[in-house]
Amino acid sequence: MNTGTQAPQQRRGPKPKHSWSKIFLVASVVFVVMLVGVGCGFLTATINTKDDLSAIQPAASSQIYDINGKLIKNVHAVENRVPVPLSKIPINLQNAFIANEDTRFYEHCGIDPIGILRALWADITHRSISEGGSTITQQLAKNAYLTQDRTFKRKIQEVFLALQLEHRYTKKEILQMYLNQIYFGQGAYGVQAAAQTYFGKDVSELDLSECAMLAGIPRSPNYYSPLNNLEAAKKRKTVVLEQMLKHNYITQDQFIQANNEPLHLRSRKAHVDNSTSYFVNYVIQLMIDKYGADKVYREGLKIYTTLDLNKQHDAEQAIKALPNLKRNSAGLEQPQVALVAINPHNGYIEAMIGGRGNDQFNRAIMAVRQPGSAFKPFVFATTFENNMTPSTTVEDSPLKIGDWQPQNDDRTFRGLVSIRQIATYSINVPTIKLANSLGIQNVLSTAQSLGISTLVMQGDSNDLNLASALGGLTRGVTPIDMAAAYAAFDNNGVYIKPIAIIRVLDRNGQVIDEAQPQKVQAISPRSANLVTNILQDVIKYGTGRRANIGRPAAGKTGTTDDFENAWFIGYTPNLVTAVWVGGDDNMPMPGIYGGTVPAKIWHNFMIKALANTPVANFSGVAVNNSGNTVTNVTSVYDKDNATNQDKDKSAKADKTDVKNGDKKSTKPEDSNSPNSSSSNTHKHSQHEQPAVPNSPPAVQPKPGEQNDKGM
């Protein structure tokens, strides 16, 4: 009886649970269906595709204006496009694009989850990869039907359009449309126009090397165009060939032959309107990188820039001080020049010269060259960040680091010297001792915080050695980076990333983009103002005297091994200007160093550019007789030191390079260093002790490590 009554109870117990789970399951299914339905509705609403594309707005030219609203250039909406069938496009060119843009093109259905995951993994692990997550079909959908806006909605549209394209067309038809649609720079759309633009031949006549070159351009058309940046284009070609080899489209022998084959670019005179072309091309590159070529060339944008055409004209006149030494193999007069002028308080680029005006390689942005002693202020800034002062002393005496025995310009040593002296006369050995006491990594960290983006901190060949204190870097620096870094000295230690575009309006006058300055307190106001304080003496008494413009100004010279690079970077309270002079082929320029031609160009430019600007003092930190700082006063000069300087002493010839043993790091620096026997500058007591110990550096470059420095 008990057993009979217990069994039914056990069966009845679970029924309510089963019912509720059923209800929950049904409700969940309904909810998911509703959610999917709503989502699909939203996605369908956002796709906004058109079978009839005739409703698209006609192309319109964009206009680029200067900071005062003056028209600089019309960017014409003329497409150079000649469609060709796939049968006329070399198989090597087809394979080059597939290998680099979409290796699974013939396997996916328009979107490639594997490719997306692979690209994501590469980003996470910081490895380089030659292809992105978007398929060729997605790129076609974006380029042909959508804007370049980086929004979630646009990405959804791209995915759905890609699926539609795959459903409607064959793979070969998609590839043909893509190769006829893509932008190659220089106004060329499609592979046929690109072949004519760069090689002066039909696309069907391209060899493997030329195919690889073309396939590498669309990733960044202005940067990788061989007419703009031949070295970058060659490196990109190698990457394309490596991908083709990796995916078995070519053999090892074909790779070697194509990679070493010289390029025969179309012979034509560079089309350069005037000196503004370098800046205009830079702005166009920034716009294309952000919005795509179609938006720039076809949508009638109004692009308001930071350029001041008056200052640009002044810069154009100033570079006429360049000598003509020779023509290189490309027929370009040498040496070349770069000039960048920046407002230190907002980061606006007010003038830019990228060369003599007869080519399209923008040296102000793209040329990575050795800075020589122009790098030393980063050492000085680091000393001040560590509570030293301009009167801190260092023993200028012989130093040996392994096989390297760095020398001063005049091969003499002065005993105790102050940081102010070291800066004024650009003395090498005590600069190295300062860097050693601080730690070269800290000096490089200061430079990076001030926007120097080209330092090499890892790998077998890197900048973590004391040669870097003299500007002997693995790669070098760019003029725009140096101008922006010095601007921070002029702006209480606040670094502002250079700005070229203030705002962008669409054809209806609606603002679609506006500059948002990127600011960071890179070094303390005290350190920045102390750097300014000592760099004023460089112009007034030291290596930069030829740059004296009769108003408060600070600056630094720089000259590298064999006179291959010469710099002057200087500033007033209102304007910072970097000038670089050098040969495109690293040719020697005997007698040209930072204190001569670059200083003269800087002087001539600043005199005119500031003609209508009231004279102003640097506002910040002054130094008292004890070398201590006094805040909230106008900083002029450290009177106790300045009065002791031999103001009438004529400069030594700024020559004599220092061959630092096996290290070809950089020039010890231009002249004007008083020698130990004749100088009256900053005499110190025989018993005074240096603040920085005179001991061998702990960080020693490896023998021969810097053989390529300064080249």
Side-chain angles (χ1 to χ4, degrees), residues 249-285:
Y249 288 114
I250 58 175
T251 66
Q252 182 70 36
D253 289 342
Q254 288 176 309
F255 169 82
I256 295 172
Q257 180 180 348
N259 195 43
N260 294 328
E261 180 181 313
L263 288 168
H264 301 288
L265 297 173
R266 182 179 182 183
S267 176
R268 67 187 183 111
K269 292 183 178 180
H271 177 68
V272 178
D273 295 333
N274 49 47
S275 69
T276 63
S277 64
Y278 296 108
F279 180 80
V280 166
N281 288 338
Y282 176 55
V283 167
I284 291 174
Q285 177 182 328

Side-chain angles (χ1 to χ4, degrees), residues 306 348 499-504 513-517:
T306 61
Y348 286 8
I499 295 172
I501 301 170
I502 301 174
R503 71 181 61 86
V504 180
D513 197 0
E514 197 154 16
Q516 301 294 329

Side-chain angles (χ1 to χ4, degrees), residues 458-462 702 705:
Q458 297 178 341
D460 294 335
S461 180
N462 59 63
K702 298 176 182 177
E705 182 178 358

Side-chain angles (χ1 to χ4, degrees), residues 65-110:
Y65 297 91
D66 87 336
I67 196 169
N68 298 310
K70 296 178 183 178
L71 180 65
I72 302 175
K73 184 179 179 65
N74 275 304
V75 183
H76 297 295
V78 177
E79 288 188 3
N80 176 15
R81 189 199 306 272
V82 183
V84 290
L86 194 65
S87 59
K88 298 291 186 182
I89 300 174
I91 190 64
N92 279 331
L93 186 56
Q94 299 177 40
N95 291 338
F97 272 98
I98 291 171
N100 282 270
E101 300 294 335
D102 188 359
T103 57
R104 287 170 34 81
F105 173 68
Y106 286 108
E107 300 169 31
H108 61 65
C109 62

Side-chain angles (χ1 to χ4, degrees), residues 413-426:
F413 297 96
R414 298 161 183 77
L416 287 180
V417 289
S418 68
I419 290 177
R420 181 180 298 281
Q421 281 180 282
I422 297 168
T424 302
Y425 300 111
S426 201

Side-chain angles (χ1 to χ4, degrees), residues 575-593:
L575 191 64
V576 179
T577 302
V579 177
W580 166 83
V581 174
D584 286 334
D585 55 358
N586 293 309
M587 66 175 224
M589 304 179 296
I592 296 179
Y593 44 86

Side-chain angles (χ1 to χ4, degrees), residues 341-417:
I342 294 178
N343 184 317
H345 306 297
N346 56 22
Y348 286 8
I349 301 170
E350 297 190 353
M352 177 183 286
I353 299 288
R356 288 177 177 259
N358 48 9
D359 70 342
Q360 298 182 28
F361 179 63
N362 190 344
R363 296 159 188 83
I365 305 297
M366 298 176 177
V368 181
R369 303 299 293 257
Q370 296 295 322
S373 292
F375 198 80
K376 288 177 180 176
F378 303 125
V379 177
F380 306 143
T382 310
T383 67
F384 299 143
E385 287 287 271
N386 285 270
N387 296 318
M388 298 185 193
T389 75
S391 295
T392 298
T393 56
V394 185
E395 183 74 29
D396 181 18
S397 59
L399 178 66
K400 185 174 182 180
I401 308 172
D403 294 331
W404 183 41
Q405 290 183 278
Q407 300 291 327
N408 294 324
D409 175 28
D410 54 7
R411 304 303 202 272
T412 62
F413 297 96
R414 298 161 183 77
L416 287 180
V417 289

Side-chain angles (χ1 to χ4, degrees), residues 616-677:
N617 285 321
F618 291 102
S619 179
V621 177
V623 182
N624 64 21
N625 291 338
S626 301
N628 297 318
T629 58
V630 182
T631 57
N632 298 324
V633 298
T634 298
S635 173
V636 188
Y637 291 94
D638 185 352
K639 300 295 185 182
D640 62 312
N641 289 327
T643 54
N644 289 328
Q645 300 203 4
D646 185 2
K647 302 174 186 176
D648 298 324
K649 182 178 179 63
S650 53
K652 291 185 354 177
D654 294 333
K655 51 186 180 180
T656 317
D657 187 10
V658 171
K659 302 291 186 181
N660 292 324
D662 287 336
K663 298 171 69 66
K664 299 174 81 174
S665 65
T666 105
K667 253 189 99 66
E669 195 25 50
D670 330 83
S671 59
N672 305 326
S673 300
N675 61 42
S676 56
S677 61

